[in-house]
Amino acid sequence: MSAEIILQLEQMVGSSLPPAYLDLLSSYPESLRNARRAIDDSDAEGCVHEVELLDDWAGILFLNQESRSDSILEPEGHIFFWPEQLLVIGETGGGDYYCLDTESPDDEVIQFDHQATEFDVIADSLKEFVTILEETFLEEDLETDAAKNRAETD
């Protein structure tokens, strides 16, 4: 199934998927599979691998189809269409996407801000992006565990 989806994605972006990305998905970090998105699950249920950096080919295909499904009206009134070469690899959970430029020799992770219709490099590599996600979400898990331990000893 993933081979069919990879082919569909490559057709969407007009090139091969970046090798660093394929390597990452073939050995997805276990830490991110288990990392929860919110301490109390009140506003951001689920795990990182289901949202910020998807590990599921069907989900990746869905996000790429979704990003290309319609145009967006920019704040200045111009019509914005998703750039063909950008591969969506995850989302923020608030309507913004994380993506890779398949035409770039670098594996920078770019965040698309849907309200401003702007792109910003947020990590110089996929490895750095994984580190950012681990620091963000695993740090919360560690803080939660420490709080629980303090409460149990009090």
Side-chain angles (χ1 to χ4, degrees):
M1 168 121 166
S2 64
E4 290 175 27
I5 292 175
I6 290 171
L7 181 60
Q8 288 178 8
L9 289 168
E10 289 177 338
Q11 289 171 343
M12 265 188 229
V13 300
S15 67
S16 298
L17 299 187
Y21 181 61
L22 294 172
D23 290 345
L24 174 64
L25 287 186
S26 69
S27 58
Y28 194 91
E30 204 56 42
S31 59
L32 295 182
R33 282 191 207 283
N34 300 317
R36 304 281 311 156
R37 297 188 67 234
I39 294 172
D40 61 2
D41 295 331
S42 62
D43 63 348
E45 293 182 19
C47 293
V48 172
H49 75 98
E50 299 168 318
V51 183
E52 282 78 12
L53 181 59
L54 275 70
D55 68 347
D56 169 56
W57 284 109
I60 295 164
L61 178 62
F62 174 80
L63 284 182
N64 278 276
Q65 291 169 330
E66 178 183 69
S67 67
R68 292 164 170 80
S69 67
D70 205 359
S71 61
I72 299 172
L73 189 61
E74 294 179 332
E76 301 84 29
H78 303 286
I79 296 176
F80 169 84
F81 292 95
W82 189 258
E84 178 184 55
Q85 79 277 10
L86 294 184
L87 173 70
V88 179
I89 62 171
E91 60 182 322
T92 62
D96 299 338
Y97 295 118
Y98 296 117
C99 50
L100 299 173
D101 184 342
T102 60
E103 291 180 356
S104 173
D106 303 318
D107 61 338
E108 297 173 326
V109 177
I110 303 164
Q111 182 175 348
F112 171 69
D113 178 332
H114 76 284
Q115 291 182 333
T117 59
E118 294 177 352
F119 294 91
D120 291 307
V121 174
I122 60 162
D124 291 332
S125 68
L126 281 165
K127 184 177 181 177
E128 181 182 345
F129 184 57
V130 167
T131 300
I132 290 168
L133 293 174
E134 288 174 335
E135 288 174 353
T136 301
F137 294 103
L138 296 179
E139 207 169 271
E140 288 180 0
D141 288 347
L142 294 173
E143 289 171 6
T144 301
D145 291 344
K148 285 181 186 176
N149 289 338
R150 281 193 302 273
E152 290 173 2
T153 57
D154 289 342

